[in-house]
Amino acid sequence: MTELIIKDLHVSIEGKQILKGLNLTVRKGEVHAIMGPNGTGKSTLAYTLMGHPSYEVTQGEIWFKGENILEKRPDERSRLGLFLAFQYPVAIPGVTVANFLRTALNARRRASNPEEKGIPIPEFRKMLIEKMNLLKMDSKFAGRYLNDGFSGGEKKRAEILQMATLQPEIAILDETDSGLDIDALRIVSEGVNALTGPNLGVVVITHYQRLLNYIKPQFVHIMFNGTIVESGGPALALKLEEHGYDWVREKYQEPIPA
Ligand code: ADP
Ligand code: MG
């Protein structure tokens, strides 16, 4: 059973504590949404899961497929089957989307089999076309340089295509709180909906309540002040849609010190 288990996670940036004891378990086949107002530490959680060196884990554990991954590099985490979409993807002029994806896929395959010769190009091309059709993408996209001059929506598509190609077991998608327009939101949602199934677990992180118009998570978590304060099913999403975050702030706001 593939599980991502986050236990009592405490994270600091430049000495400032941001995550304050976060617990979450995600299994293959599940769709989770983590929602919360800006500044509560949602992106901090995503970067920490990815292994970004600026984020210091001061307490707690992160387990993936039975291994403690805290000491693993980002590329090692990726090869194990954890996928983390970048909030601000980097452009690589000179490297096409297709080449980038083939290189990444081969690296992932070699992690499980050192003898792996790499996927033959015709087989890769066939697979890529299938994935692009699934995501309703124009095949010309594969020949463009990665993220070079891509619109916000195209970057999102490239991210989702990367997820479709690498076939991770657990994917964490941190959606930008700024600059994510309704089209990008729809693209991400459609991609997630097309790819979810028994072989993929997804965590979508966002502050947009309207995301839930597109993705129907089985599990909804509300994050506030560095921790998950409420977890529930789709009913919790409806409550957020109806009442926003004000009740969360009222209920969980730390008292202002005298
Ligand atoms: P969210 O994604 O929920 O909006 P973030 O994880 O981006 O929240 O930020 C949580 C808190 O951490 C905020 O108070 C933010 O100012 C602070 N923070 C985030 N990144 C950094 C950083 N690189 N350096 C210093 N503080 C940061
Ligand atoms: Mg964020």
Side-chain angles (χ1 to χ4, degrees):
M1 162 73 80
T2 296
E3 286 180 329
L4 173 69
I5 303 170
I6 303 167
K7 279 189 196 164
D8 192 32
L9 189 64
H10 287 68
V11 174
S12 297
I13 313 167
E14 290 161 12
K16 183 181 165 202
Q17 198 184 0
I18 309 291
L19 297 189
K20 303 169 183 173
L22 188 142
N23 294 287
L24 178 69
T25 296
V26 181
R27 296 180 183 87
K28 226 158 125 167
E30 296 177 346
V31 180
H32 292 248
I34 298 182
M35 317 201 50
N38 282 328
T40 49
K42 300 185 301 295
S43 293
T44 300
L45 173 64
Y47 282 121
T48 303
L49 290 172
M50 183 171 77
H52 192 294
S54 304
Y55 296 79
E56 191 198 348
V57 176
T58 55
Q59 195 178 313
E61 297 162 17
I62 305 173
W63 292 83
F64 182 57
K65 291 162 79 172
E67 287 191 64
N68 183 343
I69 59 166
L70 272 185
E71 299 301 320
K72 292 195 185 294
R73 295 187 314 261
D75 62 306
E76 293 172 317
R77 298 179 191 206
S78 161
R79 283 169 208 187
L80 267 180
L82 196 59
F83 177 84
L84 297 130
F86 286 105
Q87 201 163 348
Y88 302 105
V90 183
I92 316 183
V95 176
T96 63
V97 169
N99 271 333
F100 172 78
L101 292 177
R102 193 161 57 87
T103 305
L105 179 64
N106 284 337
R108 169 126 157 74
R109 287 184 166 202
R110 279 189 199 107
S112 45
N113 175 17
E115 304 291 301
E116 168 74 43
K117 297 271 187 295
I119 183 168
I121 289 177
E123 191 187 319
F124 173 74
R125 192 167 291 166
K126 185 166 167 273
M127 188 203 73
L128 190 60
I129 289 168
E130 267 171 33
K131 304 288 182 198
M132 293 181 83
N133 286 340
L134 181 70
L135 300 174
K136 302 191 187 78
M137 294 171 74
D138 191 310
S139 62
K140 282 199 215 72
F141 195 81
R144 291 178 61 187
Y145 293 150
L146 185 68
N147 290 321
D148 195 21
F150 282 19
S151 69
E154 286 172 337
K155 285 180 183 173
K156 285 287 159 206
R157 275 186 210 280
E159 222 170 61
I160 297 296
L161 182 62
Q162 194 182 338
M163 175 164 107
T165 308
L166 292 181
Q167 295 182 274
E169 293 174 61
I170 304 279
I172 318 288
L173 306 171
D174 184 14
E175 294 323 313
T176 26
D177 291 346
S178 55
L180 189 72
D181 59 19
I182 196 77
D183 284 340
L185 201 63
R186 193 176 43 77
I187 291 162
V188 170
S189 309
E190 283 174 359
V192 167
N193 290 336
L195 298 173
T196 45
N199 294 321
L200 176 67
V202 181
V203 183
V204 181
I205 302 176
T206 185
H207 98 232
Y208 284 108
Q209 286 130 246
R210 63 186 181 191
L211 178 87
L212 302 166
N213 298 335
Y214 300 93
I215 294 182
K216 302 290 173 212
Q218 298 123 291
F219 303 93
V220 177
H221 310 276
I222 301 178
M223 195 166 162
F224 187 69
N225 196 18
T227 186
I228 287 175
V229 291
E230 299 221 357
S231 293
L236 191 54
L238 291 177
K239 188 171 174 185
L240 278 181
E241 216 171 310
E242 214 169 307
H243 303 290
Y245 289 119
D246 284 350
W247 64 274
V248 179
R249 286 195 190 88
E250 265 162 42
K251 194 165 166 188
Y252 295 102
Q253 192 72 265
E254 283 175 356
I256 297 161

